Amino acid sequence: MSQPVITPHESHGRWKWDTWGRGPYDALSSVMLGPPFDGYLELTTEVDGEPWHLEVSYSKSGFKPRPRDNINASRLYEWDIVGRGPGEAKASFNLSPRFPNMRHWETDEKINLPWESQFGEVDGVDVEYQPSNVEPERALEFLPEFYGAIFEEAGEHIHPGYFRESPHPEYSREWAHERYVRIRREWAEKLASSGVLQKVIHHLTDMEGVIAELKINNKEVVNHQNRLVLDPASVGELFPGHTYGRKFEIYQLADPDAVSKDHPSYHPKVEVLVNQKMNDSEAWAWADRQEVVEEIEETLLNFLNWDDIPLAPDGSGVYVPDDHFEAVPRDDPVEIYPDPTPRLEANSDHILLTTLRDIGETPRDVAEKVATDGGVSVEAVAEQLGKHPSTIYRAIQELGDLLDLENGQVSYRARKYREEIRALVESAEYGIESYADRIQHLMGLADHIEDCSPFQQWLAEHGAELEFDQEGEPKRLRIDTILSTLKSSSFESAQALASEAIDKWRHSGNNPVRFSKLPMLWKSPEGNTESRPVGRLAPDW
C-alpha cells in the first residue's frame, strides 16, 4: 500500500560553527553597518530557479562588545535574515557572535552560555533557524545562498566556504519540528468526531504513569483545533521504541467558508509536532533530527490508518495538495503498527454507556418491545410490561442514544438498530450474552453519529462499511444487517438501502457511476451472505 509524502510545516533550532571564528558575523556587520544600507537591506534573488525575497535587519543583543570590536555601541548587534519564497515558504535566520568571556552589556557580568563548555575558548557563530514549509536541511542550503546574494548586492567578496560545512552535529540543537498532510473535510470530521483521538485517550485512561490531554477548540467552527498531547510515556504505550512526546492536531481555518471550496485551505491540515516543552524542556541534537522526523511520520500515518482512512494518496480522494503538500506517494513507507485500541469499543464508558448485563431486565425488555412493535408510546410499553411509566422512562434513559423519545413516543434512532435487535429476539439462538454483545455495539454506534457527510452518517446509522483496496480505491460495500430482496418480507429492503447509499454518496460530492458498480454484501434472512452490484439493486438510480 502506498503512503503520502509528509510535508514539513515548521521547525526551530540552532546551528553552531567554530570553523571560521567570528568571520561570517564580522563580515556581515562590515557591509551592513553604515552606508549604503545603514543596517537594513531588501533584495530579490534566485535559488535553484526560484525567486526569494530577502530582508536583512539587525536587533540588539544582550552582549557587550569586546574592546577590539569596531562598533560605536554599548551592545553588539545580531543579524536577522528573513527569506520569503514561493507559496508560503519562509526561511528565517538570526546570526549571533560567540567568543570567550562574553559579558552582559549593562551589568558587565559574565554570561553563562554553553559555548565555552562545548567548544572551549574559541570564537564562532551561532545561527538560530526557523523555516516554514521548508525542510531544515534545505534551509541550511539556503543560508550560504542568501549570504552570497547579500554580499553580491554590496559589491563585496565573501569567503566561499561560509556555512557550506555541516554545523556541529551534537552541539547544534533542534527544539521544535512539525509536519503535516492535508485531507478533505469529511475525512477530518471522521478523525475528530468519534475517531482515533477519542480511541487513544480512552486507551490510556487506566494506565499508570502516563500524561495525555485532549483539547477541543470549536469556538469559531467545529474542528477548528482538535489537539491530542501525549507525553513520552504515553507515546511509548502506542509505539514501542518511540521516545519523544508529541502533539497530534487537526487544524481548520476559523472561517473555512470564507475561501473557495476549490482552495486547499478549505480543507484541514493534520499535523504532528514534537517540541522541547513536551519533552521535559529537552532539545535534541542536530544529528538526531531524522529520528524525530521518523517518529512524527509514523505517528501521523498510523493514526490515520487506525481510523481506517486510506493512506494511498493517488485515487483515494482523501488528500488535498497545496503549495507545499503534493499528495504524492513516498518511496520509503513508514512502519504501520497494529492498532492498540480495539478494546475501546468494549471497555470505554464514553463509547458504551453501559451493557445489558449491568442495566438489568427492564431496559432489556424495553429494547425488545420497541424492536418488535416499532414506535410505541411509553404508556403502552408500561402496560404491556406491567411497569409504572416512570420506570420505563428510566429504562429509556439508561439505553442512551439507542432510542428516540418524543412526545411520549419511543422508537429506535435508526432502522439499523431496530432490525438488529428484532433479528436477535426472533432468532432460535437468542440468549442474553449474544444480545448484550450486540446492543453494546449498537449503543457505541449510536453515540458516534455526528454531524458529518451524508454518506458517512448513512454508513454509521446502518452499521455499514466501505472497504478499500491496496491502492485506496473503494472495493466493496458491506452492510452488517439482515436484508431481503422480497417486497413481502418483514426485513429491510436491500433495494431501498442500495438506493439510499447511491443518493448519500452523490450528495457527499462523489461520482456515483463507479460506486454503482461496487458489490454490496449483506446477510439474507436464511443466514447466507448475498452480493450484488449496488447499481443493479437500486432501481432507477
Side-chain angles (χ1 to χ4, degrees), residues 250-286:
I250 306 167
Y251 173 78
Q252 181 164 275
L253 295 177
D255 186 11
D257 293 324
V259 301
S260 167
K261 291 184 178 181
D262 296 327
H263 196 275
S265 62
Y266 179 79
H267 303 279
K269 286 181 176 180
V270 180
E271 307 172 314
V272 175
L273 166 70
V274 173
N275 65 19
Q276 61 181 5
K277 181 180 179 181
M278 293 179 278
N279 290 278
D280 298 323
S281 300
E282 289 290 329
W284 50 92
W286 174 250

Side-chain angles (χ1 to χ4, degrees), residues 69-365:
D69 286 328
N70 185 24
I71 180 174
N72 186 23
S74 60
R75 52 207 293 187
L76 288 171
Y77 297 126
E78 294 178 337
W79 292 104
D80 298 311
I81 305 173
V82 179
R84 291 179 173 84
E88 297 181 2
K90 183 179 178 182
S92 300
F93 308 100
N94 173 270
L95 183 67
S96 181
R98 292 293 184 267
F99 50 91
N101 196 30
M102 298 179 72
R103 298 278 172 172
H104 189 273
W105 72 278
E106 192 171 31
T107 66
D108 199 39
E109 293 180 354
K110 184 173 182 179
I111 298 177
N112 292 317
L113 294 176
W115 181 268
E116 287 188 58
S117 62
Q118 293 172 338
F119 291 95
E121 295 187 358
V122 297
D123 293 354
V125 288
D126 176 292
V127 177
E128 183 177 344
Y129 66 89
Q130 192 170 8
S132 298
N133 300 300
V134 173
E135 293 281 7
E137 293 84 358
R138 184 61 173 149
L140 181 57
E141 295 174 352
F142 285 155
L143 181 56
E145 299 293 336
F146 291 178
Y147 229 65
I150 294 168
F151 280 82
E152 183 177 349
E153 184 75 10
E156 298 287 344
H157 294 289
I158 184 66
H159 189 293
Y162 283 168
F163 303 123
R164 296 192 183 276
E165 294 185 15
S166 297
H168 195 283
E170 181 62 30
Y171 301 152
S172 300
R173 312 289 282 179
E174 188 172 71
W175 54 80
H177 195 112
E178 185 175 49
R179 304 180 77 82
Y180 80 96
V181 298
R182 191 181 294 275
I183 66 175
R184 299 189 64 83
R185 268 201 201 182
E186 56 267 30
W187 289 102
E189 289 167 359
K190 171 181 170 63
L191 264 179
S193 62
S194 58
V196 71
L197 303 183
Q198 290 82 357
K199 288 173 62 178
V200 168
I201 204 72
H202 285 281
H203 174 68
L204 298 170
T205 296
D206 59 356
M207 292 186 181
E208 186 175 354
V210 303
I211 300 175
E213 184 178 8
L214 181 59
K215 301 179 180 180
I216 306 297
N217 180 358
N218 289 336
K219 183 177 180 179
E220 301 295 335
V221 64
V222 173
N223 212 18
H224 173 41
Q225 284 180 306
N226 287 331
R227 303 170 176 175
L228 178 62
V229 181
L230 304 169
D231 77 333
S234 298
V235 170
E237 293 290 344
L238 300 170
F239 302 100
H242 282 212
T243 58
Y244 295 97
R246 65 206 57 172
K247 177 188 71 176
F248 179 92
E249 179 174 0
I250 306 167
Y251 173 78
Q252 181 164 275
L253 295 177
D255 186 11
D257 293 324
V259 301
S260 167
K261 291 184 178 181
D262 296 327
H263 196 275
S265 62
Y266 179 79
H267 303 279
K269 286 181 176 180
V270 180
E271 307 172 314
V272 175
L273 166 70
V274 173
N275 65 19
Q276 61 181 5
K277 181 180 179 181
M278 293 179 278
N279 290 278
D280 298 323
S281 300
E282 289 290 329
W284 50 92
W286 174 250
D288 297 332
R289 67 194 182 281
Q290 284 305 320
E291 179 182 338
V292 176
V293 169
E294 288 174 9
E295 293 196 10
I296 287 174
E297 297 192 336
E298 287 184 1
T299 301
L300 204 161
L301 293 184
N302 274 275
F303 271 30
L304 295 178
N305 186 63
W306 294 347
D307 213 9
D308 298 323
I309 293 179
L311 297 184
D314 41 355
S316 66
V318 174
Y319 302 94
V320 180
D322 57 30
D323 286 341
H324 306 287
F325 172 63
E326 297 182 343
V328 296
R330 60 189 298 138
D331 296 328
D332 53 340
V334 306
E335 181 176 356
I336 298 300
Y337 292 78
D339 185 354
T341 64
R343 67 185 184 90
L344 174 65
E345 188 168 325
N347 292 349
S348 169
D349 288 340
H350 175 75
I351 295 179
L352 303 178
L353 302 177
T354 185
T355 72
L356 285 190
R357 297 183 184 91
D358 298 329
I359 61 179
E361 182 177 353
T362 300
R364 185 169 70 250
D365 291 341

Side-chain angles (χ1 to χ4, degrees), residues 323-476:
D323 286 341
H324 306 287
F325 172 63
E326 297 182 343
V328 296
R330 60 189 298 138
D331 296 328
D332 53 340
V334 306
E335 181 176 356
I336 298 300
Y337 292 78
D339 185 354
T341 64
R343 67 185 184 90
L344 174 65
E345 188 168 325
N347 292 349
S348 169
D349 288 340
H350 175 75
I351 295 179
L352 303 178
L353 302 177
T354 185
T355 72
L356 285 190
R357 297 183 184 91
D358 298 329
I359 61 179
E361 182 177 353
T362 300
R364 185 169 70 250
D365 291 341
V366 170
E368 294 176 14
K369 184 60 64 178
V370 178
T372 54
D373 294 353
V376 292
S377 68
V378 171
E379 287 75 10
V381 175
E383 182 178 349
Q384 293 177 36
L385 296 181
K387 304 287 185 180
H388 192 275
S390 62
T391 303
I392 304 303
Y393 278 110
R394 285 195 298 271
I396 293 170
Q397 186 175 14
E398 287 186 69
L399 287 167
D401 289 337
L402 197 63
L403 301 178
D404 271 337
L405 179 63
E406 185 174 356
N407 298 325
Q409 291 290 121
V410 59
S411 60
Y412 277 93
R413 183 176 178 181
R415 288 174 296 174
K416 159 73 178 173
Y417 310 149
R418 181 192 174 196
E419 296 295 335
E420 286 282 347
I421 299 303
R422 185 177 67 171
L424 278 169
V425 171
E426 295 175 353
S427 170
E429 299 177 356
Y430 170 69
I432 182 58
E433 292 299 315
S434 61
Y435 186 86
D437 288 340
R438 190 60 193 155
I439 205 164
Q440 281 183 6
H441 170 75
L442 295 178
M443 290 172 69
L445 190 62
D447 191 45
H448 273 64
I449 296 179
E450 301 288 348
D451 182 20
C452 54
S453 73
F455 185 72
Q456 285 180 310
Q457 187 171 1
W458 184 88
L459 288 175
E461 288 181 353
H462 292 86
E465 179 183 6
L466 184 62
E467 299 179 358
F468 295 84
D469 60 23
Q470 291 185 347
E471 299 302 320
E473 296 289 345
K475 181 170 63 174
R476 67 174 65 92

